[in-house]
């Protein structure tokens, strides 16, 4: 059982290594011009150079910061709003049509509005990222709060629990699987929007780095930035699933 | 208001002179009382003119064909429903909302337990609601889990327990409320026969030890007679009292000898005839 798991893991690494080897071959045989496509060797060298000089680290920190602040703001606001809307059927009927109108709105359409109102500032980036990332969280929270077993509310009533206790001991834990799933989706949205905002507003971050590298035909630096963005997305999503696994340990017993 | 309740109690007293818990002589105020209660839900009358007094420490069973309003009556007693007309009182005070002295054991234990809390955590919920300091809770939780026959299962999640164990856990949580009245809504309906008999006896000894008042709803006539001091049969559409039988069987009850007792068989016959008649 355990050895097959390790074998699968090894196989998946082999596939990844295969892709890198293919990339190296394409670059070596110059199937694509080196101006546009550096080999993994050059991208790696650029990555190392960027980190040793500290440039890339600063850009990475910038992107992670944008992403984290926007995502946290979206999480707090999304869970709070979702809880209010989800726990009242009347609220749901009133607000649902507006939400249905706002939700499918491409966030990129909001960016010019945000720039017009807030300028090319960090505040603008924070607003855009939070606005984009709030939807999956809020909708998941609404669903989670609306789906709380009514019997549990009756239990709470017969125990004469306070409103606050009902929210924190019944509704929130009951909705937590939905909420965490929403937060995981939002993480990706936050990363995408962080990069977009950096590109559009010239804010310090990997998005900006990638844009400048491309304009200067520094393809190795460009790829170093892209790789780093990929790693950021991967690491945050792994961290998120670890957190989910820990917080939802009780669910494992239900399967 | 009090006069009204008293009049209703007196009327019942005369109707059932040989009842074990005589309301007039023994207890002037019933613990749970329905005074001419009518409940309309969604334009339909579910319960009509129901008058009923339950004495402290009495074990009252309510039976009836499905859809006769027995669960609804229990929810009225719990304060989960408010009557359209009439009054439900607890210790003489009108029931406006559920209260901690009245615990309710739901039939669907799977839905009534918190799946994200362990057995200990589920019991703790009631202690937390009662304001017990955190330091005192573990000892009390252990005691309660032992009382319901779940020692050593404190760390298990409900999903890791059998149906019988989950229902025991729900009973433990209800006991943690330290109720004066325990309402049980077909608590063993979803369990197999062996588990059910075991739990019947455990409930009887729990009740005997704590002196709690019980209103027990079931569709199992044998169960009602076996457990109760008194059995009430409801007539459907709308729900109202059709028959009232005092159970004068010796306690402690025994699964074999009680069920073979001539009085048990007589009551069983009477109830079966009643239910049969209501279904026609």
């Amino acid at each position: 059982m355990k050895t097959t798991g390790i074998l699968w893991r090894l196989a998946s690494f082999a596939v990844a290594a295969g892709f890198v080897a293919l990339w190296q071959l394409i670059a070596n045989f110059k199937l694509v011009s080196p101006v546009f496509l550096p080999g993994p060797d050059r991208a790696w060298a650029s990555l190392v150079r960027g980190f040793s000089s500290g440039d890339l680290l600063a850009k990475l920190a910038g992107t992670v910061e944008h992403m984290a602040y926007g995502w946290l703001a979206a999480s707090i606001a999304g869970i709070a709003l979702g809880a209010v809307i989800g726990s009242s059927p009347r609220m749901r009927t009133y607000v649902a049509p507006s939400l249905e109108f706002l939700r499918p709105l491409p966030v990129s359409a909001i960016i010019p509005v945000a720039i017009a109102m807030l300028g090319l500032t960090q505040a603008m980036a924070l607003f855009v990222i939070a606005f984009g990332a709030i939807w999956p969280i809020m909708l998941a929270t609404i669903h989670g709060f609306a789906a709380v077993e009514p019997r549990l509310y009756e239990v709470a009533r017969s125990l004469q629990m306070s409103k606050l206790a009902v929210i924190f001991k019944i509704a929130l834990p009951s909705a937590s699987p939905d909420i965490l799933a929403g937060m995981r989706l939002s993480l990706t949205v936050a990363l995408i929007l962080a990069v977009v905002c950096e590109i559009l507003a010239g804010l310090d971050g990997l998005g900006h780095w990638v844009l400048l590298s491309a304009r200067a035909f520094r393809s190795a630096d460009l790829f170093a930035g892209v790789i780093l963005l990929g790693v950021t997305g991967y690491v945050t999503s792994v961290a998120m699933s670890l957190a989910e696994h820990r917080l939802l340990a009780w669910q494992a017993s239900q399967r | 208001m009090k006069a009204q309740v008293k009049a209703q109690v007196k009327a019942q007293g005369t109707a059932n002179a040989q009842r074990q818990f005589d309301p007039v002589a023994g207890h002037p105020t019933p613990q749970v009382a329905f005074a001419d209660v009518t409940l309309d839900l969604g334009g339909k009358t579910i319960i009509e003119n129901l008058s009923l007094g339950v004495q402290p420490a009495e074990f009252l069973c309510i039976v009836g064909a499905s859809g006769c309003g027995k669960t609804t009556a229990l929810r009225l007693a719990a304060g989960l429903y408010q009557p359209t007309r009439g009054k439900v009182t607890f210790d003489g005070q009108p029931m406006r909302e559920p209260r901690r002295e009245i615990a309710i054991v739901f039939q669907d234990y799977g839905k009534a337990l918190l799946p994200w809390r362990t057995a200990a955590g589920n019991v703790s919920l009631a202690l937390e609601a009662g304001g017990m300091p955190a330091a005192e809770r573990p000892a009390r939780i252990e005691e309660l889990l032992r009382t319901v026959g779940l020692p050593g299962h404190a760390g298990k999640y409900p999903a890791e327990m059998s149906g019988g164990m989950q229902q025991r856990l729900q009973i433990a949580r209800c006991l943690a409320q330290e109720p004066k009245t325990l309402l049980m809504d077909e608590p063993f309906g979803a369990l197999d026969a062996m588990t059910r008999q075991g739990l019947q006896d455990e409930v009887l000894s729990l009740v005997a030890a704590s002196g709690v008042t019980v209103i027990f709803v079931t569709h199992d006539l044998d169960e009602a007679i076996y457990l109760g001091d008194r059995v009430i049969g409801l007539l459907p559409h709308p729900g109202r009292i059709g028959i009232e039988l005092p159970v004068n069987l010796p306690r402690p009850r025994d699964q074999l000898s009680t069920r073979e007792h001539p009085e048990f068989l007589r009551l069983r016959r009477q109830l079966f005839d009643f239910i049969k008649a209501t279904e026609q």
Side-chain angles (χ1 to χ4, degrees), chain B residues 209-221:
Chain B
S210 65
V212 68
T213 311
V214 183
I215 306 181
F216 191 104
V217 163
T218 178
H219 59 254
D220 180 343
L221 306 183

Side-chain angles (χ1 to χ4, degrees), chain A residues 151-152 154 159-160 169 173, chain B residues 75 100 108 116 128 177:
Chain A
R151 187 66 86 218
L152 292 180
E154 288 179 359
L159 287 172
Q160 289 183 300
K169 290 178 183 172
Chain B
R75 293 172 67 85
R100 219 173 286 141
D108 44 6
W116 56 87
E128 291 160 28
Q177 281 177 252

